[in-house]
Amino acid sequence: MQIRLFLLAKDAGPAQKSSLEALTRSLSLAIQRANFFLDFTRDRSKTLESLDLAKVIEAAVEAVDTQSTEIVCELSTGLQVTAHTCDLAFVLANLIQNAREAMPVGQHGTV
């Protein structure tokens, strides 16, 4: 599907290109979310990991479609947490997505 969108965009006009790029971003986000769900349903017997919270937050922000709003990260370094990486990233991405959807278009949020 992504390859098909890429090939269509090569010969598209500016308005069509913009729409195809939006579709490509939406598809990428859907793939990321599907992978989050697959990871979430996998075997839970893995051990917890010590994680850099700033890196997990940055990954969660990248996973969220922020076209209509800007998400600014002002993160402290060296914050360590013990968690399952995918679970924590999924929860944070969901919180960021909900906050983004509640913000007016053109506004920005700070993490």
Side-chain angles (χ1 to χ4, degrees):
M1 183 79 153
Q2 287 176 313
I3 293 170
R4 202 175 284 170
L5 288 170
F6 173 76
L7 293 173
L8 286 171
K10 285 178 69 177
D11 297 327
Q16 292 170 325
K17 226 176 227 187
S18 177
S19 294
L20 290 169
E21 288 170 358
L23 282 171
T24 301
R25 286 189 299 273
S26 294
L27 179 60
S28 293
L29 184 59
I31 290 168
Q32 286 177 337
R33 286 186 178 159
N35 286 330
F36 272 135
F37 282 117
L38 288 171
D39 288 341
F40 188 74
T41 59
R42 287 197 176 103
D43 183 13
R44 310 299 287 165
S45 64
K46 332 184 256 194
T47 58
L48 298 173
E49 303 172 79
S50 179
L51 306 168
D52 181 342
L53 185 57
K55 289 182 181 178
V56 178
I57 292 172
E58 287 171 354
V61 169
E62 288 178 13
V64 173
D65 178 19
T66 57
Q67 288 181 37
S68 61
T69 55
E70 178 185 7
I71 305 294
V72 178
C73 292
E74 295 177 3
L75 306 170
S76 298
T77 57
L79 296 173
Q80 296 291 313
V81 295
T82 302
H84 291 280
T85 307
C86 291
D87 292 354
L88 183 57
F90 181 78
V91 168
L92 292 170
N94 190 42
L95 286 171
I96 293 165
Q97 179 70 26
N98 290 343
R100 188 203 62 80
E101 289 173 359
M103 286 188 282
V105 174
Q107 296 293 314
H108 77 276
T110 304
V111 178

